[in-house]
Amino acid sequence: MQVSVDRDRCCSSGMCVTNAPEVFDQDGRDSLVRLRQAVVTPDQFEDVRLAAELCPGGAITVTGDEPARAGG
Ligand code: SF4
């Protein structure tokens, strides 16, 4: 699973950093989103999915398959 961000749509709310700080960061100069990593691990999936859902700018795109769950 991959994640990408559109900085043109970001409104610097910081919600993504709150939800998934391992994956998202905010630029120190303009507070716009920056990606720490583009490939999402299974452990990070739910946090990243929530971050994309709650992003007020619709700036986060998740692509690829949802990781398989143990026992599922
Ligand atoms: S949640 Fe969306 S709008 Fe807010 S900082 Fe992250 S990418 Fe930008």
Side-chain angles (χ1 to χ4, degrees):
M1 197 178 93
Q2 289 83 41
V3 62
S4 61
V5 293
D6 181 348
R7 285 167 56 89
D8 289 338
R9 298 186 69 161
C10 176
C11 57
S12 311
S13 72
M15 289 285 290
C16 54
V17 181
T18 300
N19 285 302
E22 294 177 356
V23 177
F24 302 100
D25 194 8
Q26 280 182 284
D27 193 300
R29 291 168 298 179
D30 56 18
S31 297
L32 295 176
V33 64
R34 296 187 70 87
L35 271 183
R36 291 181 182 273
Q37 60 187 73
V39 178
V40 179
T41 67
D43 283 355
Q44 296 166 333
F45 171 75
E46 281 299 333
D47 290 344
V48 171
R49 187 195 59 75
L50 184 65
E53 189 178 308
L54 297 179
C55 172
I60 300 171
T61 302
V62 178
T63 55
D65 293 335
E66 180 177 351
R69 296 171 190 279

Short mmCIF file of all heavy atoms in Angstrom, two decimals:
data_model
loop_
_atom_site.label_atom_id
_atom_site.label_comp_id
_atom_site.label_asym_id
_atom_site.label_seq_id
_atom_site.Cartn_x
_atom_site.Cartn_y
_atom_site.Cartn_z
N MET A 1 0.84 -1.18 0.00
CA MET A 1 0.00 0.00 0.00
C MET A 1 0.88 1.24 0.00
O MET A 1 1.87 1.29 0.71
CB MET A 1 -0.89 -0.01 1.25
CG MET A 1 -2.07 0.94 1.14
SD MET A 1 -3.09 0.83 2.61
CE MET A 1 -2.38 2.14 3.58
N GLN A 2 0.50 2.20 -0.83
CA GLN A 2 1.28 3.43 -0.91
C GLN A 2 0.40 4.61 -0.52
O GLN A 2 -0.84 4.57 -0.62
CB GLN A 2 1.79 3.66 -2.34
CG GLN A 2 2.88 2.70 -2.76
CD GLN A 2 2.31 1.40 -3.26
OE1 GLN A 2 1.31 1.38 -3.96
NE2 GLN A 2 2.93 0.30 -2.87
N VAL A 3 1.04 5.69 -0.11
CA VAL A 3 0.32 6.92 0.20
C VAL A 3 1.02 8.07 -0.51
O VAL A 3 2.24 8.08 -0.66
CB VAL A 3 0.25 7.14 1.74
CG1 VAL A 3 1.63 7.30 2.34
CG2 VAL A 3 -0.63 8.35 2.07
N SER A 4 0.21 9.01 -0.98
CA SER A 4 0.77 10.21 -1.59
C SER A 4 -0.01 11.42 -1.09
O SER A 4 -1.13 11.28 -0.58
CB SER A 4 0.71 10.12 -3.13
OG SER A 4 -0.63 10.00 -3.56
N VAL A 5 0.59 12.58 -1.20
CA VAL A 5 -0.07 13.80 -0.74
C VAL A 5 0.00 14.87 -1.83
O VAL A 5 0.92 14.91 -2.63
CB VAL A 5 0.58 14.35 0.55
CG1 VAL A 5 0.34 13.40 1.71
CG2 VAL A 5 2.06 14.61 0.38
N ASP A 6 -1.02 15.70 -1.85
CA ASP A 6 -1.08 16.82 -2.79
C ASP A 6 -0.94 18.10 -1.97
O ASP A 6 -1.89 18.55 -1.32
CB ASP A 6 -2.42 16.79 -3.53
CG ASP A 6 -2.54 17.91 -4.54
OD1 ASP A 6 -1.70 18.84 -4.52
OD2 ASP A 6 -3.48 17.88 -5.35
N ARG A 7 0.25 18.66 -2.00
CA ARG A 7 0.51 19.85 -1.17
C ARG A 7 -0.33 21.05 -1.61
O ARG A 7 -0.56 21.97 -0.83
CB ARG A 7 2.01 20.18 -1.18
CG ARG A 7 2.81 19.19 -0.31
CD ARG A 7 4.30 19.29 -0.56
NE ARG A 7 4.85 20.62 -0.38
CZ ARG A 7 5.32 21.10 0.78
NH1 ARG A 7 5.27 20.37 1.86
NH2 ARG A 7 5.82 22.31 0.86
N ASP A 8 -0.80 21.05 -2.85
CA ASP A 8 -1.65 22.15 -3.32
C ASP A 8 -3.02 22.13 -2.63
O ASP A 8 -3.71 23.14 -2.59
CB ASP A 8 -1.85 22.07 -4.83
CG ASP A 8 -0.58 22.42 -5.59
OD1 ASP A 8 0.28 23.11 -5.00
OD2 ASP A 8 -0.44 22.00 -6.74
N ARG A 9 -3.42 20.97 -2.14
CA ARG A 9 -4.72 20.85 -1.47
C ARG A 9 -4.60 20.94 0.05
O ARG A 9 -5.61 21.04 0.75
CB ARG A 9 -5.39 19.54 -1.85
CG ARG A 9 -5.67 19.43 -3.34
CD ARG A 9 -6.45 18.20 -3.68
NE ARG A 9 -7.81 18.30 -3.16
CZ ARG A 9 -8.82 17.57 -3.58
NH1 ARG A 9 -8.64 16.67 -4.51
NH2 ARG A 9 -10.01 17.71 -3.06
N CYS A 10 -3.41 20.82 0.56
CA CYS A 10 -3.20 20.81 2.01
C CYS A 10 -3.48 22.19 2.59
O CYS A 10 -3.06 23.21 2.06
CB CYS A 10 -1.75 20.42 2.29
SG CYS A 10 -1.31 20.48 4.04
N CYS A 11 -4.22 22.21 3.72
CA CYS A 11 -4.50 23.48 4.39
C CYS A 11 -3.81 23.54 5.76
O CYS A 11 -4.22 24.30 6.64
CB CYS A 11 -6.01 23.69 4.51
SG CYS A 11 -6.87 22.38 5.37
N SER A 12 -2.79 22.73 5.92
CA SER A 12 -1.91 22.81 7.10
C SER A 12 -2.60 22.55 8.42
O SER A 12 -2.19 23.09 9.44
CB SER A 12 -1.21 24.19 7.15
OG SER A 12 -0.64 24.51 5.91
N SER A 13 -3.64 21.71 8.41
CA SER A 13 -4.36 21.47 9.66
C SER A 13 -3.57 20.62 10.64
O SER A 13 -3.77 20.71 11.84
CB SER A 13 -5.69 20.76 9.35
OG SER A 13 -5.44 19.42 8.96
N GLY A 14 -2.69 19.79 10.13
CA GLY A 14 -1.90 18.93 11.00
C GLY A 14 -2.61 17.68 11.47
O GLY A 14 -2.06 16.91 12.27
N MET A 15 -3.82 17.44 10.99
CA MET A 15 -4.56 16.25 11.42
C MET A 15 -3.81 14.96 11.08
O MET A 15 -3.82 14.00 11.85
CB MET A 15 -5.93 16.21 10.73
CG MET A 15 -6.90 17.25 11.23
SD MET A 15 -7.55 16.82 12.85
CE MET A 15 -8.58 15.42 12.43
N CYS A 16 -3.18 14.93 9.93
CA CYS A 16 -2.49 13.71 9.51
C CYS A 16 -1.31 13.40 10.43
O CYS A 16 -1.05 12.24 10.74
CB CYS A 16 -2.02 13.84 8.06
SG CYS A 16 -1.01 15.30 7.74
N VAL A 17 -0.63 14.43 10.87
CA VAL A 17 0.52 14.23 11.76
C VAL A 17 0.03 13.70 13.11
O VAL A 17 0.66 12.86 13.73
CB VAL A 17 1.30 15.55 11.94
CG1 VAL A 17 2.50 15.35 12.84
CG2 VAL A 17 1.74 16.09 10.59
N THR A 18 -1.13 14.18 13.54
CA THR A 18 -1.71 13.69 14.79
C THR A 18 -2.09 12.22 14.67
O THR A 18 -1.85 11.44 15.59
CB THR A 18 -2.98 14.52 15.14
OG1 THR A 18 -2.59 15.88 15.29
CG2 THR A 18 -3.62 14.03 16.43
N ASN A 19 -2.65 11.83 13.53
CA ASN A 19 -3.14 10.47 13.37
C ASN A 19 -2.04 9.46 13.00
O ASN A 19 -2.13 8.29 13.39
CB ASN A 19 -4.23 10.44 12.30
CG ASN A 19 -5.53 11.00 12.82
OD1 ASN A 19 -6.08 10.53 13.79
ND2 ASN A 19 -6.01 12.06 12.18
N ALA A 20 -1.07 9.89 12.25
CA ALA A 20 -0.03 8.96 11.79
C ALA A 20 1.32 9.68 11.73
O ALA A 20 1.84 9.95 10.64
CB ALA A 20 -0.41 8.38 10.43
N PRO A 21 1.91 9.96 12.88
CA PRO A 21 3.15 10.75 12.91
C PRO A 21 4.35 10.04 12.31
O PRO A 21 5.33 10.70 11.96
CB PRO A 21 3.36 11.02 14.41
CG PRO A 21 2.57 9.96 15.12
CD PRO A 21 1.42 9.64 14.23
N GLU A 22 4.28 8.72 12.17
CA GLU A 22 5.39 8.01 11.53
C GLU A 22 5.42 8.25 10.03
O GLU A 22 6.46 8.14 9.39
CB GLU A 22 5.28 6.50 11.76
CG GLU A 22 5.44 6.09 13.21
CD GLU A 22 5.25 4.59 13.37
OE1 GLU A 22 4.91 3.91 12.39
OE2 GLU A 22 5.42 4.11 14.50
N VAL A 23 4.25 8.57 9.47
CA VAL A 23 4.13 8.66 8.02
C VAL A 23 4.10 10.10 7.53
O VAL A 23 4.64 10.42 6.47
CB VAL A 23 2.85 7.92 7.55
CG1 VAL A 23 2.63 8.05 6.06
CG2 VAL A 23 2.94 6.45 7.96
N PHE A 24 3.47 10.99 8.32
CA PHE A 24 3.31 12.38 7.88
C PHE A 24 4.09 13.33 8.78
O PHE A 24 4.27 13.09 9.98
CB PHE A 24 1.83 12.77 7.93
CG PHE A 24 0.94 11.91 7.09
CD1 PHE A 24 0.19 10.90 7.67
CD2 PHE A 24 0.86 12.09 5.72
CE1 PHE A 24 -0.63 10.08 6.90
CE2 PHE A 24 0.03 11.28 4.94
CZ PHE A 24 -0.71 10.27 5.53
N ASP A 25 4.50 14.43 8.18
CA ASP A 25 5.18 15.49 8.92
C ASP A 25 4.70 16.81 8.32
O ASP A 25 4.05 16.83 7.27
CB ASP A 25 6.69 15.35 8.76
CG ASP A 25 7.46 16.19 9.76
OD1 ASP A 25 6.84 16.77 10.68
OD2 ASP A 25 8.69 16.26 9.62
N GLN A 26 4.98 17.91 9.01
CA GLN A 26 4.65 19.23 8.46
C GLN A 26 5.93 20.00 8.21
O GLN A 26 6.85 19.99 9.04
CB GLN A 26 3.75 20.00 9.42
CG GLN A 26 2.29 19.57 9.34
CD GLN A 26 1.40 20.37 10.27
OE1 GLN A 26 1.39 20.14 11.46
NE2 GLN A 26 0.65 21.30 9.72
N ASP A 27 5.97 20.67 7.06
CA ASP A 27 7.13 21.46 6.68
C ASP A 27 7.33 22.59 7.69
O ASP A 27 6.38 23.28 8.06
CB ASP A 27 6.88 22.03 5.28
CG ASP A 27 8.15 22.61 4.67
OD1 ASP A 27 8.71 23.55 5.26
OD2 ASP A 27 8.56 22.12 3.61
N GLY A 28 8.56 22.76 8.14
CA GLY A 28 8.86 23.78 9.13
C GLY A 28 8.69 25.19 8.62
O GLY A 28 8.55 26.12 9.40
N ARG A 29 8.68 25.37 7.30
CA ARG A 29 8.59 26.72 6.75
C ARG A 29 7.15 27.13 6.46
O ARG A 29 6.72 28.22 6.83
CB ARG A 29 9.41 26.82 5.45
CG ARG A 29 10.91 26.73 5.67
CD ARG A 29 11.63 26.55 4.37
NE ARG A 29 11.22 25.29 3.73
CZ ARG A 29 11.66 24.86 2.57
NH1 ARG A 29 12.49 25.60 1.88
NH2 ARG A 29 11.25 23.71 2.08
N ASP A 30 6.39 26.24 5.81
CA ASP A 30 5.03 26.63 5.42
C ASP A 30 3.94 25.78 6.07
O ASP A 30 2.76 25.98 5.80
CB ASP A 30 4.88 26.60 3.89
CG ASP A 30 5.25 25.24 3.29
OD1 ASP A 30 5.29 24.25 4.06
OD2 ASP A 30 5.51 25.18 2.09
N SER A 31 4.34 24.84 6.92
CA SER A 31 3.40 23.96 7.64
C SER A 31 2.60 23.03 6.73
O SER A 31 1.67 22.37 7.19
CB SER A 31 2.42 24.78 8.50
OG SER A 31 3.11 25.47 9.49
N LEU A 32 2.93 22.97 5.45
CA LEU A 32 2.26 22.03 4.56
C LEU A 32 2.79 20.62 4.82
O LEU A 32 3.89 20.42 5.33
CB LEU A 32 2.48 22.41 3.09
CG LEU A 32 1.86 23.73 2.65
CD1 LEU A 32 2.23 24.03 1.19
CD2 LEU A 32 0.35 23.71 2.82
N VAL A 33 1.95 19.64 4.47
CA VAL A 33 2.27 18.25 4.74
C VAL A 33 3.53 17.82 3.99
O VAL A 33 3.79 18.25 2.87
CB VAL A 33 1.07 17.36 4.35
CG1 VAL A 33 0.78 17.41 2.87
CG2 VAL A 33 1.28 15.92 4.83
N ARG A 34 4.29 16.95 4.63
CA ARG A 34 5.42 16.28 3.99
C ARG A 34 5.31 14.80 4.33
O ARG A 34 4.91 14.45 5.44
CB ARG A 34 6.76 16.81 4.51
CG ARG A 34 7.03 18.25 4.20
CD ARG A 34 8.44 18.64 4.59
NE ARG A 34 9.41 18.03 3.71
CZ ARG A 34 9.82 18.56 2.56
NH1 ARG A 34 9.34 19.72 2.18
NH2 ARG A 34 10.69 17.95 1.80
N LEU A 35 5.66 13.96 3.40
CA LEU A 35 5.65 12.52 3.65
C LEU A 35 6.97 12.10 4.25
O LEU A 35 8.04 12.47 3.76
CB LEU A 35 5.46 11.76 2.33
CG LEU A 35 4.04 11.46 1.88
CD1 LEU A 35 4.10 10.63 0.60
CD2 LEU A 35 3.23 10.74 2.93
N ARG A 36 6.90 11.31 5.30
CA ARG A 36 8.11 10.69 5.85
C ARG A 36 8.42 9.40 5.08
O ARG A 36 9.57 9.01 4.95
CB ARG A 36 7.92 10.34 7.31
CG ARG A 36 7.85 11.53 8.25
CD ARG A 36 7.70 11.03 9.68
NE ARG A 36 7.57 12.10 10.62
CZ ARG A 36 8.61 12.73 11.20
NH1 ARG A 36 9.83 12.39 10.88
NH2 ARG A 36 8.39 13.68 12.07
N GLN A 37 7.36 8.73 4.62
CA GLN A 37 7.53 7.48 3.87
C GLN A 37 6.33 7.33 2.94
O GLN A 37 5.22 7.74 3.27
CB GLN A 37 7.64 6.30 4.81
CG GLN A 37 6.43 6.11 5.71
CD GLN A 37 6.64 5.04 6.76
OE1 GLN A 37 7.37 5.23 7.71
NE2 GLN A 37 5.99 3.91 6.56
N ALA A 38 6.57 6.74 1.78
CA ALA A 38 5.51 6.57 0.79
C ALA A 38 4.89 5.18 0.83
O ALA A 38 3.79 4.98 0.33
CB ALA A 38 6.05 6.86 -0.61
N VAL A 39 5.61 4.23 1.40
CA VAL A 39 5.10 2.86 1.50
C VAL A 39 4.62 2.63 2.93
O VAL A 39 5.36 2.88 3.89
CB VAL A 39 6.19 1.85 1.12
CG1 VAL A 39 5.67 0.42 1.29
CG2 VAL A 39 6.65 2.07 -0.32
N VAL A 40 3.38 2.18 3.04
CA VAL A 40 2.75 2.02 4.35
C VAL A 40 2.85 0.56 4.79
O VAL A 40 2.51 -0.35 4.04
CB VAL A 40 1.27 2.44 4.27
CG1 VAL A 40 0.59 2.26 5.61
CG2 VAL A 40 1.17 3.87 3.79
N THR A 41 3.30 0.35 6.00
CA THR A 41 3.38 -1.01 6.53
C THR A 41 2.01 -1.44 7.06
O THR A 41 1.16 -0.59 7.35
CB THR A 41 4.41 -1.08 7.67
OG1 THR A 41 3.91 -0.32 8.78
CG2 THR A 41 5.76 -0.52 7.25
N PRO A 42 1.79 -2.73 7.20
CA PRO A 42 0.50 -3.21 7.73
C PRO A 42 0.16 -2.58 9.08
O PRO A 42 -1.01 -2.26 9.33
CB PRO A 42 0.71 -4.72 7.85
CG PRO A 42 1.70 -5.04 6.78
CD PRO A 42 2.63 -3.86 6.75
N ASP A 43 1.14 -2.39 9.93
CA ASP A 43 0.89 -1.79 11.24
C ASP A 43 0.38 -0.35 11.13
O ASP A 43 -0.29 0.14 12.03
CB ASP A 43 2.18 -1.77 12.08
CG ASP A 43 2.49 -3.14 12.65
OD1 ASP A 43 1.67 -4.06 12.49
OD2 ASP A 43 3.57 -3.27 13.25
N GLN A 44 0.75 0.32 10.06
CA GLN A 44 0.40 1.74 9.90
C GLN A 44 -0.89 1.94 9.12
O GLN A 44 -1.40 3.06 9.05
CB GLN A 44 1.54 2.47 9.17
CG GLN A 44 2.83 2.49 9.95
CD GLN A 44 4.00 2.90 9.08
OE1 GLN A 44 4.01 2.70 7.87
NE2 GLN A 44 5.01 3.46 9.71
N PHE A 45 -1.42 0.87 8.56
CA PHE A 45 -2.53 1.01 7.63
C PHE A 45 -3.73 1.74 8.22
O PHE A 45 -4.25 2.69 7.63
CB PHE A 45 -2.97 -0.37 7.11
CG PHE A 45 -4.25 -0.29 6.33
CD1 PHE A 45 -4.26 0.22 5.04
CD2 PHE A 45 -5.46 -0.68 6.90
CE1 PHE A 45 -5.44 0.32 4.32
CE2 PHE A 45 -6.64 -0.58 6.19
CZ PHE A 45 -6.63 -0.08 4.90
N GLU A 46 -4.19 1.32 9.39
CA GLU A 46 -5.39 1.93 9.96
C GLU A 46 -5.18 3.41 10.26
O GLU A 46 -6.08 4.24 10.04
CB GLU A 46 -5.82 1.18 11.24
CG GLU A 46 -6.56 -0.10 10.96
CD GLU A 46 -7.87 0.11 10.19
OE1 GLU A 46 -8.49 1.20 10.28
OE2 GLU A 46 -8.26 -0.82 9.48
N ASP A 47 -4.02 3.76 10.77
CA ASP A 47 -3.74 5.17 11.07
C ASP A 47 -3.72 6.01 9.80
O ASP A 47 -4.23 7.14 9.78
CB ASP A 47 -2.40 5.30 11.79
CG ASP A 47 -2.44 4.74 13.21
OD1 ASP A 47 -3.55 4.54 13.74
OD2 ASP A 47 -1.36 4.50 13.77
N VAL A 48 -3.14 5.46 8.73
CA VAL A 48 -3.05 6.20 7.47
C VAL A 48 -4.43 6.31 6.82
O VAL A 48 -4.80 7.36 6.29
CB VAL A 48 -2.03 5.53 6.53
CG1 VAL A 48 -2.08 6.17 5.14
CG2 VAL A 48 -0.63 5.65 7.11
N ARG A 49 -5.19 5.24 6.89
CA ARG A 49 -6.55 5.27 6.34
C ARG A 49 -7.38 6.33 7.07
O ARG A 49 -8.10 7.11 6.45
CB ARG A 49 -7.21 3.89 6.49
CG ARG A 49 -8.55 3.78 5.81
CD ARG A 49 -9.33 2.56 6.27
NE ARG A 49 -9.57 2.57 7.70
CZ ARG A 49 -10.47 3.33 8.31
NH1 ARG A 49 -11.22 4.15 7.62
NH2 ARG A 49 -10.62 3.29 9.62
N LEU A 50 -7.26 6.39 8.38
CA LEU A 50 -7.99 7.39 9.15
C LEU A 50 -7.51 8.80 8.80
O LEU A 50 -8.32 9.72 8.65
CB LEU A 50 -7.80 7.12 10.65
CG LEU A 50 -8.58 8.02 11.59
CD1 LEU A 50 -10.08 7.80 11.44
CD2 LEU A 50 -8.15 7.78 13.04
N ALA A 51 -6.22 8.97 8.65
CA ALA A 51 -5.67 10.28 8.30
C ALA A 51 -6.24 10.76 6.96
O ALA A 51 -6.61 11.92 6.81
CB ALA A 51 -4.14 10.21 8.25
N ALA A 52 -6.32 9.85 5.99
CA ALA A 52 -6.86 10.20 4.68
C ALA A 52 -8.34 10.57 4.79
O ALA A 52 -8.81 11.53 4.17
CB ALA A 52 -6.66 9.05 3.70
N GLU A 53 -9.06 9.81 5.60
CA GLU A 53 -10.50 10.05 5.77
C GLU A 53 -10.77 11.40 6.42
O GLU A 53 -11.73 12.09 6.07
CB GLU A 53 -11.07 8.92 6.63
CG GLU A 53 -12.56 8.88 6.74
CD GLU A 53 -13.00 7.67 7.57
OE1 GLU A 53 -12.57 6.54 7.27
OE2 GLU A 53 -13.74 7.87 8.54
N LEU A 54 -9.92 11.77 7.37
CA LEU A 54 -10.17 12.99 8.15
C LEU A 54 -9.49 14.24 7.59
O LEU A 54 -9.73 15.34 8.10
CB LEU A 54 -9.71 12.77 9.60
CG LEU A 54 -10.45 11.67 10.38
CD1 LEU A 54 -9.87 11.56 11.79
CD2 LEU A 54 -11.94 11.95 10.43
N CYS A 55 -8.66 14.08 6.58
CA CYS A 55 -7.95 15.24 6.03
C CYS A 55 -8.96 16.25 5.49
O CYS A 55 -9.71 15.93 4.56
CB CYS A 55 -7.00 14.79 4.92
SG CYS A 55 -6.25 16.17 4.04
N PRO A 56 -9.00 17.47 6.02
CA PRO A 56 -10.00 18.44 5.58
C PRO A 56 -9.78 18.93 4.15
O PRO A 56 -10.71 19.43 3.52
CB PRO A 56 -9.85 19.58 6.59
CG PRO A 56 -8.49 19.44 7.15
CD PRO A 56 -8.18 17.97 7.12
N GLY A 57 -8.58 18.78 3.62
CA GLY A 57 -8.31 19.23 2.27
C GLY A 57 -8.44 18.13 1.22
O GLY A 57 -8.30 18.39 0.04
N GLY A 58 -8.67 16.91 1.66
CA GLY A 58 -8.70 15.80 0.72
C GLY A 58 -7.36 15.63 0.02
O GLY A 58 -7.30 15.25 -1.15
N ALA A 59 -6.31 15.89 0.74
CA ALA A 59 -4.98 15.93 0.13
C ALA A 59 -4.24 14.61 0.16
O ALA A 59 -3.17 14.49 -0.43
CB ALA A 59 -4.14 17.00 0.84
N ILE A 60 -4.81 13.61 0.85
CA ILE A 60 -4.10 12.35 1.04
C ILE A 60 -4.76 11.26 0.19
O ILE A 60 -5.97 11.06 0.25
CB ILE A 60 -4.13 11.93 2.52
CG1 ILE A 60 -3.46 13.01 3.37
CG2 ILE A 60 -3.46 10.58 2.71
CD1 ILE A 60 -3.63 12.80 4.87
N THR A 61 -3.95 10.57 -0.60
CA THR A 61 -4.44 9.48 -1.44
C THR A 61 -3.74 8.19 -1.06
O THR A 61 -2.51 8.15 -0.99
CB THR A 61 -4.18 9.79 -2.93
OG1 THR A 61 -4.82 11.02 -3.27
CG2 THR A 61 -4.72 8.68 -3.82
N VAL A 62 -4.54 7.17 -0.82
CA VAL A 62 -4.01 5.85 -0.50
C VAL A 62 -4.27 4.94 -1.69
O VAL A 62 -5.38 4.88 -2.20
CB VAL A 62 -4.69 5.29 0.77
CG1 VAL A 62 -4.18 3.89 1.08
CG2 VAL A 62 -4.44 6.22 1.96
N THR A 63 -3.25 4.23 -2.14
CA THR A 63 -3.39 3.33 -3.29
C THR A 63 -2.82 1.96 -2.95
O THR A 63 -2.02 1.81 -2.03
CB THR A 63 -2.66 3.88 -4.52
OG1 THR A 63 -1.30 4.14 -4.18
CG2 THR A 63 -3.29 5.16 -5.02
N GLY A 64 -3.27 0.98 -3.70
CA GLY A 64 -2.79 -0.38 -3.48
C GLY A 64 -3.69 -1.15 -2.55
O GLY A 64 -4.68 -0.64 -2.04
N ASP A 65 -3.33 -2.40 -2.34
CA ASP A 65 -4.17 -3.30 -1.56
C ASP A 65 -4.03 -3.06 -0.07
O ASP A 65 -2.96 -2.73 0.42
CB ASP A 65 -3.78 -4.74 -1.85
CG ASP A 65 -4.11 -5.12 -3.28
OD1 ASP A 65 -5.02 -4.49 -3.86
OD2 ASP A 65 -3.45 -6.02 -3.80
N GLU A 66 -5.16 -3.27 0.61
CA GLU A 66 -5.11 -3.27 2.07
C GLU A 66 -4.31 -4.50 2.50
O GLU A 66 -4.48 -5.58 1.95
CB GLU A 66 -6.53 -3.36 2.63
CG GLU A 66 -6.59 -3.38 4.13
CD GLU A 66 -8.02 -3.39 4.64
OE1 GLU A 66 -8.95 -3.21 3.82
OE2 GLU A 66 -8.20 -3.58 5.84
N PRO A 67 -3.40 -4.33 3.46
CA PRO A 67 -2.59 -5.47 3.87
C PRO A 67 -3.44 -6.59 4.47
O PRO A 67 -4.48 -6.32 5.10
CB PRO A 67 -1.64 -4.88 4.91
CG PRO A 67 -2.27 -3.61 5.35
CD PRO A 67 -3.09 -3.12 4.21
N ALA A 68 -3.02 -7.80 4.28
CA ALA A 68 -3.74 -8.95 4.84
C ALA A 68 -3.65 -8.91 6.37
O ALA A 68 -2.65 -8.48 6.94
CB ALA A 68 -3.12 -10.23 4.32
N ARG A 69 -4.72 -9.32 7.00
CA ARG A 69 -4.76 -9.34 8.46
C ARG A 69 -4.54 -10.77 8.95
O ARG A 69 -5.05 -11.71 8.38
CB ARG A 69 -6.12 -8.85 8.95
CG ARG A 69 -6.37 -7.41 8.59
CD ARG A 69 -7.80 -7.04 8.89
NE ARG A 69 -8.12 -5.74 8.33
CZ ARG A 69 -7.80 -4.58 8.90
NH1 ARG A 69 -7.17 -4.58 10.04
NH2 ARG A 69 -8.12 -3.46 8.33
N ALA A 70 -3.83 -10.85 10.05
CA ALA A 70 -3.58 -12.16 10.65
C ALA A 70 -4.90 -12.79 11.08
O ALA A 70 -5.74 -12.14 11.69
CB ALA A 70 -2.65 -12.01 11.84
N GLY A 71 -5.10 -14.01 10.74
CA GLY A 71 -6.28 -14.73 11.16
C GLY A 71 -7.51 -14.40 10.34
O GLY A 71 -8.60 -14.90 10.60
N GLY A 72 -7.37 -13.52 9.33
CA GLY A 72 -8.53 -13.12 8.59
C GLY A 72 -8.60 -13.78 7.27
O GLY A 72 -9.51 -13.73 6.54
S1 SF4 B 1 -4.57 16.50 7.35
FE1 SF4 B 1 -4.61 17.09 5.17
S2 SF4 B 1 -4.82 19.32 5.17
FE2 SF4 B 1 -4.14 18.70 7.24
S3 SF4 B 1 -1.88 18.87 7.20
FE3 SF4 B 1 -2.43 16.74 6.66
S4 SF4 B 1 -2.55 16.72 4.39
FE4 SF4 B 1 -2.62 18.86 5.07
#
